[in-house]
């Protein structure tokens, strides 16, 4: 039945389905048992016990028939594989960076870069560090600081580019020059802050500040195509440009980038680090051989590189992006209709529920974000992720408290709008009983990246 005119309209898929994967809604009893066995940590739940998996948009994309066809032309040579040549050419064309070093995923690229540029006594800023980025910065002795604009912390601010860097603050930090700041990172889109985009104007100002201080600028370009889509829509003079053309507006201002192709590469595994710095590239390759593999495969099967070459291009197609961002907006409209609070405007890869307004009766010490994650699973076997006190509570001692969010990340080309309608129903059911939801306590936590392995207990 067609929706009434007042109801949000789902976007129409620019593809049809060729292969299906069965999913099953576990019973209420099974869900309770799964929660108990997992220590109330959704990372510890088997995917067979999940109905709609919104844990991450990373490595969870459905590949296209063209990508699967590309997998069949893998040239699995250790050295000099033609698939690497194609991958290198694709990434060079899209980014303009001359040195392309493949890695098995984004954090491997981060490991290579930060193990060479990070050191004690230095500070590495970002609009907002993602968890693995922060971990690699800190593992190498640098201090990771977040320098997003104040609007990024105002969950209702309609600012069109809430991923932007606070340039005056950056300039202040850059007074210490390269001795203090070995590299400036900017993440497109700002995942930790709600999948919010960064404007070309902002990168231009960041670039000028970096140049003046003699500090290189690197982009975390995991979701660069989604970022470019927002730029095309929201920034003056960009409307007639293609996604790759907008991408070059960013990349031409940067010295290099790290990439997880598991996002805007539309593959299940893969990534790279890219740079203009020939000397650094040589050292990155030495590191690569120790940790990942030879520079023409970087920890991947060569067929994976071929699939990424195709996926990187497909992620730039406008009809794909319109549908992708359209799905996020559709879910946003469904939740808005019920007055459910989330980060506005909706970002590129998911909805971020505003936990402080969802569960205002729970103090921070009762980990309301984690409680909400548990309740969404309990209600409808939806797996989401806490982006708040558990993920980042121990990140910057003395720094601003992290935003308290629950992310519903939408995998690319995987779920239909009917699935998203189900998700909206489940969130609404939890919303309707929100005042009776109780907190959780962390009863076990590893030292680093504790959200992956921590165990929790419901509060009595
Ligand atoms: N940078 C950003 C902004 C990310 O979102 C991620 C991964 C990485 C780097 C690391 O990439 O997973 O390929 O090693 N984000 C996923 C997420 C895991 O769920 O947001 P990776």
């Amino acid at each position: 039945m067609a929706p009434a005119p007042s109801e949000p309209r789902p976007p129409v898929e620019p593809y049809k389905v060729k292969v299906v994967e069965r999913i099953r809604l576990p019973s209420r009893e099974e869900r309770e048992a799964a929660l108990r066995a997992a220590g109330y940590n959704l990372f510890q739940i088997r995917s067979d016990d999940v109905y709609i998996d919104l844990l991450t948009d990373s490595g969870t994309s459905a590949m296209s028939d063209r990508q699967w066809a590309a997998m069949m032309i893998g040239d699995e040579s250790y050295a000099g594989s033609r698939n690497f040549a194609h991958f290198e050419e694709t990434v060079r064309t899209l980014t303009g960076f001359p040195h392309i070093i493949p890695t098995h995923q984004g954090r491997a690229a981060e490991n290579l870069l930060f193990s060479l540029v990070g050191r004690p006594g230095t500070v590495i800023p970002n609009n907002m560090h993602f968890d693995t980025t922060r971990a690699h910065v800190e593992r190498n002795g640098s201090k990771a600081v977040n320098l997003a604009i104040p609007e990024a912390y105002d969950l209702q601010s309609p600012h069109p580019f809430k991923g932007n860097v606070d340039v005056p603050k950056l300039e202040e930090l850059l007074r210490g020059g390269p001795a203090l700041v070995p590299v400036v990172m900017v993440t497109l889109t700002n995942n930790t802050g709600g999948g919010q985009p960064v404007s070309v104007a902002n990168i231009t100002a960041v670039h000028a500040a970096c140049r003046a201080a003699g500090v290189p600028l690197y982009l975390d370009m995991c979701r660069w195509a989604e970022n470019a889509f927002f730029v095309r829509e929201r920034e003056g003079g960009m409307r007639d440009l293609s996604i790759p053309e907008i991408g070059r507006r960013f990349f031409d201002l940067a010295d290099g980038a790290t990439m997880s192709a598991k996002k805007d590469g539309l593959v299940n595994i893969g990534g790279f680090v890219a740079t203009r710095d020939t000397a650094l590239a040589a050292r990155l390759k030495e590191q690569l051989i120790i940790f990942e593999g030879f520079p023409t495969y970087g920890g991947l099967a060569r067929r994976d590189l071929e699939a990424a070459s195709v996926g990187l291009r497909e992620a730039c197609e406008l009809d794909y992006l319109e549908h992708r961002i359209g799905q996020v907006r559709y879910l946003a409209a469904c939740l808005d209709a019920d007055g459910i609070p989330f980060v506005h405007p909706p970002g590129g890869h998911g909805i971020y529920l505003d936990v402080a307004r969802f569960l205002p009766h729970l103090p921070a010490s009762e980990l309301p974000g984690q409680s909400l994650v548990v309740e969404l699973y309990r209600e409808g076997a939806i797996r989401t992720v806490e982006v708040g006190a558990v993920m980042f509570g121990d990140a910057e001692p003395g720094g601003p408290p992290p935003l308290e969010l629950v992310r519903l990340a939408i995998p690319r080309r995987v779920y239909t709008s009917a699935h998203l309608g189900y998700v909206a129903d489940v969130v609404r059911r939890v919303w309707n009983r929100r005042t009776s939801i109780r907190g959780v306590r962390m009863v076990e936590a590893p030292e680093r990246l504790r959200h992956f392995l921590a165990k929790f207990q419901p509060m009595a």
Side-chain angles (χ1 to χ4, degrees):
M1 197 174 70
S6 59
E7 281 180 35
R9 274 199 169 278
V12 179
E13 284 74 15
Y15 51 81
K16 57 182 176 173
V17 176
K18 195 177 318 235
V19 175
V20 295
E21 177 181 345
R22 186 151 189 240
I23 53 175
R24 187 185 74 91
L25 176 63
S27 68
R28 194 161 276 278
E29 295 71 37
E30 286 173 309
R31 287 172 344 234
E32 282 306 329
L35 277 174
R36 268 196 308 276
Y40 297 87
N41 183 340
L42 277 283
F43 280 102
Q44 300 298 324
I45 284 193
R46 295 178 318 153
S47 62
D48 283 347
D49 289 329
V50 175
Y51 187 43
I52 306 288
D53 203 344
L54 307 183
L55 182 71
T56 180
D57 63 320
S58 179
T60 52
S61 303
M63 292 210 296
S64 67
D65 51 356
R66 290 184 296 161
Q67 284 177 290
W68 280 108
M71 296 282 281
M72 293 304 292
I73 54 168
D75 157 21
E76 303 300 337
S77 308
Y78 187 97
S81 164
R82 76 178 79 93
N83 306 117
F84 174 71
H86 185 204
F87 176 81
E88 183 182 45
E89 184 222 18
T90 305
V91 179
R92 270 193 191 145
T93 308
L94 286 173
T95 64
F97 299 127
H99 305 290
I100 312 300
I101 292 141
T103 60
H104 79 274
Q105 63 182 84
R107 68 199 68 182
E110 292 169 348
N111 177 28
L112 297 179
L113 180 66
F114 296 124
S115 62
L116 292 177
V117 305
R119 58 184 183 278
T122 62
V123 177
I124 298 184
N126 205 324
N127 42 357
M128 283 191 199
H129 289 275
F130 180 64
D131 60 356
T132 59
T133 323
R134 173 176 289 280
H136 278 294
V137 165
E138 291 175 346
R139 201 172 75 86
N140 290 288
S142 300
K143 185 172 175 218
V145 298
N146 289 344
L147 292 184
I149 54 170
E151 287 86 346
Y153 295 90
D154 173 355
L155 303 189
Q156 297 310 310
S157 160
H159 195 291
F161 292 105
K162 288 168 91 169
N164 280 356
V165 175
D166 188 326
V167 177
K169 272 201 186 147
L170 176 67
E171 285 169 338
E172 206 179 301
L173 180 67
L174 285 172
R175 285 208 203 111
L180 177 67
V181 185
V183 63
V184 169
M185 296 292 301
V186 179
T187 305
L188 313 175
T189 57
N190 178 11
N191 179 16
T192 313
Q196 301 291 321
V198 180
S199 68
V200 170
N202 187 251
I203 292 285
T204 307
V206 169
H207 163 80
C210 288
R211 274 291 163 280
V215 172
L217 168 62
Y218 276 67
L219 303 176
D220 177 334
M221 57 176 281
C222 292
R223 299 181 180 85
W224 74 273
E226 290 167 6
N227 197 100
F229 181 85
F230 285 116
V231 164
R232 190 171 179 277
E233 231 181 34
R234 297 180 184 169
E235 197 164 357
M238 300 287 170
R239 181 46 88 175
D240 296 327
L241 300 186
S242 68
I243 296 300
E245 283 167 338
I246 294 171
R248 288 303 288 268
R249 299 283 170 111
F250 291 112
F251 301 132
D252 288 352
L253 297 171
D255 297 283
T258 55
M259 171 77 178
S260 166
K262 297 169 72 175
K263 284 89 169 168
D264 282 355
L266 287 168
V267 280
N268 305 118
I269 198 75
F272 57 83
V273 51
T275 182
R276 297 186 197 286
D277 182 335
T278 305
L280 180 67
R283 295 177 61 213
L284 286 166
K285 282 183 194 170
E286 286 167 19
Q287 294 281 106
L288 182 80
I289 293 172
I290 298 170
F291 291 111
E292 291 276 290
F294 194 70
T296 59
Y297 72 86
L300 293 160
R302 275 55 74 196
R303 55 179 173 268
D304 294 328
L305 289 169
E306 196 60 40
S309 301
V310 178
L312 285 161
R313 292 271 183 204
E314 288 182 353
C316 301
E317 288 166 5
L318 267 182
D319 57 352
Y320 153 75
L321 281 167
E322 264 156 23
H323 172 260
R324 160 116 188 102
I325 310 269
Q327 279 207 322
V328 178
R329 288 178 176 160
Y330 172 65
L331 181 54
C334 295
L335 299 178
D336 254 342
D338 289 312
I340 294 167
F342 59 89
V343 176
H344 278 269
H349 63 290
I351 294 292
Y352 291 63
L353 297 174
D354 177 350
V355 178
R357 288 173 60 220
F358 204 114
L359 298 175
H361 61 290
L362 293 186
S365 58
E366 296 186 20
L367 306 175
Q370 188 62 25
S371 305
L372 186 51
V373 160
V374 168
E375 292 304 327
L376 291 169
Y377 177 78
R378 178 172 272 147
E379 185 67 42
I382 296 174
R383 176 154 63 174
T384 58
V385 70
E386 191 253 22
V387 181
V390 177
M391 191 183 274
F392 289 114
D394 55 348
E396 260 185 73
L403 295 170
E404 190 67 23
L405 306 170
V406 164
R407 184 182 72 174
L408 284 63
I410 303 185
R412 294 167 182 79
R413 304 191 292 209
V414 170
Y415 291 116
T416 65
S417 302
H419 289 126
L420 298 181
Y422 170 82
V423 169
D425 285 346
V426 170
V427 178
R428 182 187 312 117
R429 295 206 298 264
V430 174
W431 171 247
N432 288 342
R433 60 175 176 79
R434 63 191 179 280
T435 52
S436 65
I437 292 173
R438 287 192 295 218
V440 297
R441 205 176 42 234
M442 203 180 318
V443 291
E444 243 182 80
E447 196 188 327
R448 274 183 211 277
L449 294 171
R450 60 187 188 178
H451 50 289
F452 291 116
L453 299 172
K455 288 200 163 66
F456 304 90
Q457 248 172 26
M459 310 268 282

